[in-house]
Amino acid sequence: MGVEGASLKPTFAPSLAPDKLSEAFEHSITWEDDLWRADPVDVPEIHAKARQKFNDLLTSVTSGRGYHMQDRILLFHGQSGAGKTHLLRALRTDSHRTGQSYFGYAQMTPDVQNYADFYLRRLVHSLEKPYDPDRFGESALSRLTNRMVLDSEVISSADLEKLRDATLDDKQLAGLILRLADQIVACDKFQTRELDINIVRALLYLQRHDPRIDQRVRQYLNGRQLTAIAHEAVSALDPNNGEDRAFEIIAALGALIWTVDRAALVFCIDQVEDLRFFDNAEDRFQRAVRDLIQIANRLTNAIIIISCLEDFYGQVRSLVAQSYIDRIEKSGPVLLRESRTPEEARLIISKRLAHQSELSGGGLSFPDASQFFGPQFFEEFGGLSTRRLLEHAQSRLREATSTEGDEREREPERPSFISTLAQALGQVVGFGGQDDDAPSTLSAVQFREMWERFANESEAEMPADDQELVDVLSAALLLARDEWGRSIEVTVKRLELGDDLPAFDLTVRHRTGFANDVRVFLCNRPTQGGGLKRQLDKVLTAMQGKPCFMLRASDFPPNKKNQTAQAFRKFRDGGGRQLLVPIPEWERMMTVREFTAHHRNDAGMTQWLEGTKPLSSLISIIHLLRLDLLGRPVPRLVAKNMDDPQSTLDGFDALSADQARANQQGEGDNGLAANDDDLPMSVILDENGSYGASILAGGEKNNRGRAVTMNKSVLKRHAAFLGGSGSGKTTLALSLIEQLLLRGIPAVLIDRKGDLASYANPDVWRSDDNESAERRAEREKLADAIDVAVYTPGRASGRPISITLLPNGINELPDHEQQLLANLSAAALGEMLHLKNSATHQKQSGVLAVALRILGSLSTNEVTLADLIHLLEDEHPELTDQTQRMDPSGKLRRDLVAQLDSLRLRNAALFEGGGESLRMDSLLGLGKYQRPNRTRLSVIYTGFLGDNENILFWVSQFLSEA
């Protein structure tokens, strides 16, 4: 036994090592893409005056007093780094959480000739973003459309069902929409504002969820004229005629927002100072403000926010018409100060520490920020901008983690990422002198500026032909591959299944070893008339047992009992997955493709693409390329037969190449797909299974009380137990694990709190006089069946674990597997050394991988950290030769030696503490410690370690790859 008669419950809360916290102080710059989701580290006390002024105005407008108010234009101005865009993001988040506003946002970076048209396009673009800033869900436009239909109290349920599902030709649909729009506009509830009947009709069209119609409605909402052919599909809409049509559509959307939701339309223009890049900046500013005032005049529920640099506003103010200045400044301009007070500085640091705790699972405690950084830190650096403050916090962390007694001469400190980026931004917007030795980051920032300008000016439209859409998606997948450097390999092969069913086979290979082959279908036909049903029938024939995705550009039909729904269920039961790709995602794909085509050969393009990853944030791209799995190794080891306990205890066999491919393609045993796609519930739950063959997961809560059993083979895949506090997650997980232990299947538990180590405490196995005889018998049966070993990395008590960088016998593996293990080990060390994505850190990671690869090929025993340090110190000739281009002077190797030596000293108990090696056969009881006829339960208690994530990484690696 690991620890007899002692409970290992910690006497202190585990805390994260200071050097692990540096990532908490990154990301101080807000880009437009960040605006649509909540900022987890926002501090409400920052710019409190501006927030209060906005909230007071929002309350007045939503209470119906906007008609009597002219001061509905807010001016926020300040120096670079004052946090203007951060503030706009916070205002959007708060007002959407309360449902008080619909938010529009535009950056003044493009070369605009007609600002009204530009504002309309940006407003529609903003309304297509998810309304809820905290989670994905319906867009603001969908919310507005649904509330108009459901809250009108005019449209009957029969008419609504007919609008959504009935088989209608274009003329019949137009007639229905004309009738329903007349009813909505004429109803008493909608008499508070005069509504544009064409916009009401356009939003009614969106209820069809037909990609062909959605595309034309979007063009219409953007104020564009439809071609004669395009207009046939939406013939209920009158042409977009008139010079003021952009203002009319904005006013119509704002009126609907008020009528159906009693909410304000907030429209912001940001980065107004970018107008200085064009001729006649003052004239452009005056025209831009003129059109904003027009919006405010037409909409009494409109709130306008202007955000710009203080010096630019001072430059143009004297040249703009006084009447415009009066309107802009009527509510009183708000100066956003760049400098933070000591108290604000403390709040910023505290909020980021708390957020880091949440990211770490909430199980990490952090000291008070003042105690952690010292009582003088915030007084000393109060008065700095947020960016500079975060930079100094990182510097203080580096000082806290530097090795004591190191008397070597320190090199001059290099500027941090934050200061470099801030300097680059300052130069881009015209602040500071031009430095001939400007860092390479400047080119990436320039590309970011060019990209946002290009994206704002882009008028990409979805092609009408679905085969062309597949071309767009294929190109986007290959560009997304480029965003990850050499981490992903992607192959797209088009299939010839007919013009009515565009499809392709997608092969994805990750550097970590993950591989996936899926078939992708694009099914954009309308539900009405059976078009989608015919596509589904063809999909079911073409699946051929492969994992499949079905893509659609508008909502999938609701789950009903018709033939289309039955076909969907067959698709899902066959392992298929549905994926909605909304129109804005298609347009983003086309815009990125066009932008990269223009700048493919420009210096810095690759750096921008890999740093910004403009496509990798799209949900469809994440799912298809499994970007959520990047960096995680895929298990190469499986039990011979999980249903045969004895074969599992005999050991694990490495998969042959053929079997590995079969499993990755879903051809593994028990008919279970070995990839990570969703399994049908019918496969997960073995409803007809017996307790001996399946795992008991619970019981139904109805009167039948039938047992709910789980297919045991499902547990060959990753599983997660999700639920609220006190819902029984841990109890359910341990129940399943204990049933597996009784079947002879060993388990390894990672214990952060000390609770699971109580399996080694004899007191917990003693009988309770109040328990039932059945419960007592189950406890005694489990106690007799298991052999508990508690491992205590970082302490000599219990059973210590010493980490080895590479397992024993690696030199006998094929070359590509040796390289894979070396890369994984280098990645783990990189995490512990906090290597980021900078050019220097990438080179250091490369040197580590080469050195470990050499050690693995030369060593017959396990490779330790000391072995790695010696190889780097001795300047092994093969290492010198292979890293000559990355490290011609040897400086990277010398720096790595110092960092690794410091790591070894800080974690001596982990790397040189003796005890067993972190090996799978030891942990699972397959070696010398197993007691006869008992199943090993290994508990790794990590409470003594500061860096819990490190031990988790090594455990997962050796369980998967050893």
Side-chain angles (χ1 to χ4, degrees):
M1 295 282 291
V3 177
E4 296 288 352
S7 173
L8 291 181
K9 194 163 187 176
T11 57
F12 60 91
S15 60
L16 195 64
D19 59 344
K20 186 66 176 176
L21 292 176
S22 60
E23 60 193 56
F25 307 110
E26 294 285 0
H27 312 300
S28 64
I29 296 176
T30 298
W31 303 97
E32 180 178 353
D33 288 344
D34 301 322
L35 200 79
W36 315 113
R37 56 184 181 271
D39 182 2
V41 293
D42 177 54
V43 177
E45 290 80 1
I46 306 298
H47 303 315
K49 179 182 178 181
R51 295 176 193 242
Q52 188 61 51
K53 176 163 285 195
F54 172 79
N55 289 332
D56 290 345
L57 179 56
L58 183 63
T59 301
S60 297
V61 168
T62 54
S63 64
R65 299 196 299 271
Y67 185 84
H68 305 287
M69 301 172 60
Q70 290 190 343
D71 53 344
R72 288 180 284 107
I73 300 178
L74 299 177
L75 172 64
F76 297 151
H77 61 108
Q79 294 297 324
S80 176
K84 297 181 292 297
T85 309
H86 278 276
L87 174 62
L88 297 181
R89 179 183 185 182
L91 299 182
R92 196 256 184 189
T93 296
D94 292 342
S95 61
H96 273 226
R97 280 175 174 166
T98 59
Q100 290 181 284
S101 85
Y102 287 70
F103 218 82
Y105 177 82
Q107 291 184 349
M108 305 302 287
T109 52
D111 187 359
V112 174
Q113 300 303 319
N114 187 319
Y115 283 102
D117 289 344
F118 174 65
Y119 293 157
L120 175 59
R121 292 199 306 272
R122 299 313 297 169
L123 174 60
V124 173
H125 173 80
S126 301
L127 293 178
E128 290 174 328
K129 299 298 182 181
Y131 185 87
D132 191 330
D134 300 300
R135 60 183 67 87
F136 289 108
E138 64 178 355
S139 68
L141 189 60
S142 294
R143 173 187 169 103
L144 179 63
T145 304
N146 292 332
R147 294 197 171 214
M148 180 190 75
V149 171
L150 299 176
D151 295 347
S152 65
E153 299 177 355
V154 173
I155 298 180
S156 66
S157 58
D159 278 340
L160 182 56
E161 184 176 359
K162 184 177 181 181
L163 173 64
R164 290 174 171 173
D165 299 326
T167 301
L168 304 171
D169 60 27
D170 292 340
K171 186 176 180 181
Q172 291 171 325
L173 177 61
L176 176 62
I177 284 181
L178 288 171
R179 177 170 64 84
L180 296 180
D182 289 342
Q183 292 177 3
I184 290 176
V185 173
C187 76
D188 293 338
K189 183 174 182 178
F190 285 0
Q191 293 304 308
T192 55
R193 295 285 174 90
E194 182 178 349
L195 301 182
D196 186 322
I197 196 168
N198 276 291
I199 300 305
V200 174
R201 294 168 183 168
L203 298 189
L204 285 173
Y205 266 117
L206 294 179
Q207 290 292 315
R208 293 289 283 184
H209 300 303
D210 183 341
R212 181 178 63 106
I213 292 177
D214 291 352
Q215 177 186 353
R216 288 156 175 78
V217 170
R218 191 171 189 274
Q219 291 176 329
Y220 190 84
L221 291 179
N222 277 318
R224 299 170 185 165
Q225 292 289 352
L226 300 178
T227 65
I229 295 177
H231 190 261
E232 291 178 0
V234 288
S235 56
L237 302 179
D238 295 336
N240 272 324
N241 293 328
E243 294 182 1
D244 285 345
R245 188 55 183 154
F247 285 122
E248 291 173 355
I249 295 176
I250 293 173
L253 291 171
L256 267 174
I257 287 170
W258 174 259
T259 302
V260 305
D261 226 355
R262 295 286 290 184
L265 173 61
V266 180
F267 191 78
C268 310
I269 61 171
D270 193 13
Q271 298 186 11
V272 180
E273 62 275 1
D274 279 5
L275 293 175
R276 67 175 59 178
F277 292 122
F278 308 109
D279 296 333
N280 304 320
E282 296 83 2
D283 177 63
R284 286 174 181 265
F285 179 77
Q286 188 158 238
R287 287 191 287 115
V289 170
R290 177 198 64 196
D291 288 351
L292 290 174
I293 293 175
Q294 271 273 47
I295 295 173
N297 289 342
R298 291 175 182 240
L299 273 176
T300 57
N301 64 316
I303 296 175
I304 307 298
I305 300 178
I306 301 173
S307 172
C308 66
L309 288 179
E310 180 181 4
D311 70 328
F312 176 76
Y313 182 70
Q315 168 190 333
V316 300
R317 185 182 185 280
S318 61
L319 303 174
V320 175
Q322 185 60 43
S323 60
Y324 291 176
I325 298 299
D326 292 343
R327 287 296 299 273
I328 293 174
E329 299 183 358
K330 188 173 183 63
S331 65
V334 180
L335 176 63
L336 305 181
R337 299 190 180 278
E338 178 188 16
S339 60
R340 304 275 72 86
T341 67
E343 176 60 16
E344 289 174 338
R346 187 188 64 79
L347 291 171
I348 290 171
I349 299 299
S350 298
K351 189 63 174 280
R352 287 174 176 262
L353 289 175
H355 178 59
Q356 191 67 23
S357 174
E358 294 176 6
L359 291 179
S360 303
L364 301 172
S365 64
F366 294 90
D368 177 78
S370 297
Q371 296 177 3
F372 187 77
F373 284 96
Q376 302 302 318
F377 178 85
F378 301 107
E379 292 294 335
E380 179 182 354
F381 295 114
L384 296 178
S385 68
T386 301
R387 295 174 191 169
R388 297 295 181 185
L389 175 69
L390 296 177
E391 177 184 342
H392 283 289
Q394 287 183 314
S395 298
R396 181 61 57 89
L397 285 172
R398 286 196 296 268
E399 294 172 5
T401 56
S402 61
T403 304
E404 295 182 3
D406 187 356
E407 298 179 355
R408 290 172 295 183
E409 182 179 353
R410 292 189 176 185
E411 298 180 7
E413 184 175 346
R414 299 178 181 178
S416 71
F417 169 78
I418 293 176
S419 62
T420 301
L421 193 53
Q423 177 186 1
L425 282 173
Q427 292 172 345
V428 168
V429 299
F431 284 86
Q434 182 66 35
D435 186 358
D436 293 336
D437 296 323
S440 59
T441 309
L442 180 60
S443 61
V445 175
Q446 286 176 328
F447 267 102
R448 185 67 187 247
E449 297 289 339
M450 288 191 296
W451 157 248
E452 293 202 344
R453 183 174 291 112
F454 185 90
N456 284 332
E457 293 176 343
S458 174
E459 297 185 0
E461 296 182 5
M462 285 182 62
D465 182 58
D466 284 347
Q467 296 287 353
E468 294 181 33
L469 274 182
V470 171
D471 291 338
V472 171
L473 179 59
S474 301
L477 290 168
L478 297 177
L479 280 172
R481 171 200 62 188
D482 295 343
E483 293 176 2
W484 291 88
R486 298 181 179 179
S487 297
I488 312 177
E489 294 180 6
V490 176
T491 304
V492 177
K493 181 180 179 182
R494 291 289 292 269
L495 300 176
E496 299 298 333
L497 301 179
D499 293 339
D500 59 335
L501 185 61
F504 60 88
D505 280 339
L506 175 65
T507 302
V508 180
R509 300 285 186 269
H510 290 185
R511 180 179 57 187
T512 58
F514 170 80
N516 203 15
D517 296 284
V518 298
R519 182 158 290 178
V520 182
F521 304 97
L522 182 62
C523 297
N524 269 339
R525 294 296 173 93
T527 307
Q528 307 82 11
L532 180 58
K533 171 62 168 55
R534 289 189 291 274
Q535 280 188 316
L536 284 170
D537 291 340
K538 204 165 185 178
V539 165
L540 294 174
T541 303
M543 291 176 70
Q544 298 179 353
K546 294 177 66 72
C548 295
F549 279 91
M550 183 187 301
L551 274 56
R552 188 168 170 82
S554 65
D555 290 341
F556 285 89
N559 188 17
K560 296 185 177 181
K561 296 182 179 180
N562 55 28
Q563 292 184 348
T564 301
Q566 293 175 10
F568 269 118
R569 282 193 288 273
K570 290 181 181 178
F571 174 73
R572 290 191 294 267
D573 289 343
R577 300 182 65 185
Q578 299 168 200
L579 189 57
L580 174 65
V581 187
I583 291 177
E585 289 199 8
W586 292 105
E587 293 181 344
R588 167 63 72 95
M589 296 179 201
M590 291 184 284
T591 303
V592 173
R593 181 174 65 171
E594 186 177 357
F595 180 75
T596 53
H598 282 141
H599 299 283
R600 173 62 70 182
N601 297 322
D602 292 354
M605 180 64 197
T606 300
Q607 182 184 3
W608 171 80
L609 196 64
E610 294 182 4
T612 306
K613 294 182 172 57
L615 291 172
S616 296
S617 60
L618 301 183
I619 299 301
S620 54
I621 299 294
I622 293 172
H623 278 288
L624 291 173
L625 298 185
R626 293 312 307 265
L627 300 183
D628 56 313
L629 298 180
L630 270 182
R632 283 189 274 170
V634 175
R636 296 188 300 106
L637 305 169
V638 296
K640 291 181 179 179
N641 185 348
M642 197 169 180
D643 290 326
D644 180 0
Q646 187 56 44
S647 69
T648 304
L649 289 172
D650 288 341
F652 282 71
D653 287 342
L655 290 174
S656 67
D658 292 339
Q659 182 62 38
R661 280 192 296 271
N663 277 350
Q664 288 164 355
Q665 293 172 0
E667 301 168 2
D669 57 342
N670 299 310
L672 295 180
N675 56 45
D676 286 333
D677 294 335
D678 291 341
L679 284 177
M681 192 60 67
S682 59
V683 175
I684 295 175
L685 298 182
D686 184 9
E687 296 181 354
N688 298 319
S690 64
Y691 180 69
S694 300
I695 298 294
L696 181 65
E700 294 182 353
K701 296 179 68 175
N702 54 28
N703 294 331
R704 297 169 60 189
R706 186 175 60 176
V708 176
T709 56
M710 177 178 290
N711 187 328
K712 192 165 51 181
S713 295
V714 169
L715 296 179
K716 293 180 181 180
R717 300 150 59 96
H718 292 296
F721 296 83
L722 309 177
S725 178
S727 61
K729 301 182 296 296
T730 304
T731 301
L732 175 59
L734 291 179
S735 173
L736 298 180
I737 291 170
E738 290 176 358
Q739 291 180 64
L740 292 173
L741 289 167
L742 287 171
R743 287 160 176 75
I745 299 172
V748 178
L749 308 181
I750 310 299
D751 184 9
R752 293 191 173 204
K753 300 179 181 179
D755 304 0
L756 304 179
S758 62
Y759 276 108
N761 185 354
D763 291 339
V764 304
W765 298 104
R766 293 197 175 104
S767 298
D768 185 349
D769 294 337
N770 296 323
E771 71 181 350
S772 65
E774 181 183 1
R775 177 61 179 161
R776 183 181 301 113
E778 290 176 352
R779 176 190 282 109
E780 292 174 354
K781 182 179 179 181
L782 181 62
D784 292 338
I786 63 174
D787 172 33
V788 183
V790 176
Y791 295 88
T792 55
R795 285 289 178 94
S797 60
R799 194 189 302 272
I801 289 179
S802 59
I803 283 182
T804 54
L805 304 189
L806 294 172
N808 187 24
I810 185 177
N811 62 325
E812 299 177 2
L813 295 175
D815 290 344
H816 70 279
E817 294 194 18
Q818 292 186 37
Q819 186 64 65
L820 175 61
L821 284 174
N823 291 344
L824 288 168
S825 185
L829 281 174
E831 286 289 319
M832 299 179 81
L833 295 175
H834 310 293
L835 300 184
K836 303 296 184 183
N837 291 323
S838 67
T840 299
H841 285 176
Q842 289 291 328
K843 290 178 182 178
Q844 286 182 321
S845 296
V847 171
L848 283 175
V850 172
L852 287 165
R853 171 67 178 83
I854 294 172
L855 280 171
S857 63
L858 296 177
S859 302
T860 57
N861 299 320
E862 295 167 335
V863 175
T864 67
L865 183 60
D867 297 330
L868 177 60
I869 293 173
H870 291 324
L871 184 78
L872 293 169
E873 281 182 326
D874 295 343
E875 298 187 2
H876 190 280
E878 186 177 355
L879 175 64
T880 302
D881 180 62
Q882 293 190 31
T883 60
Q884 182 62 35
R885 292 187 177 180
M886 287 189 292
D887 187 23
S889 66
K891 183 178 183 304
L892 291 178
R893 295 195 297 277
R894 293 191 294 273
D895 289 345
L896 279 172
V897 168
Q899 295 177 57
L900 291 171
D901 198 45
S902 175
L903 177 67
R904 180 178 59 84
L905 293 173
R906 294 199 310 269
N907 298 275
L910 200 57
F911 286 105
E912 299 177 351
E916 300 179 32
S917 298
L918 183 55
R919 293 175 53 183
M920 179 187 59
D921 55 356
S922 295
L923 293 176
L924 296 182
L926 306 176
K928 59 184 178 180
Y929 292 104
Q930 184 184 359
R931 294 169 61 179
N933 302 319
R934 297 229 182 177
T935 304
R936 171 59 62 89
L937 171 61
S938 296
V939 181
I940 302 179
Y941 173 62
T942 63
F944 297 128
L945 296 174
D947 265 334
N948 289 343
E949 285 74 11
N950 295 332
I951 185 68
L952 291 177
F953 191 101
W954 289 101
V955 169
S956 64
Q957 173 181 330
F958 276 78
L959 288 179
S960 303
E961 301 293 342

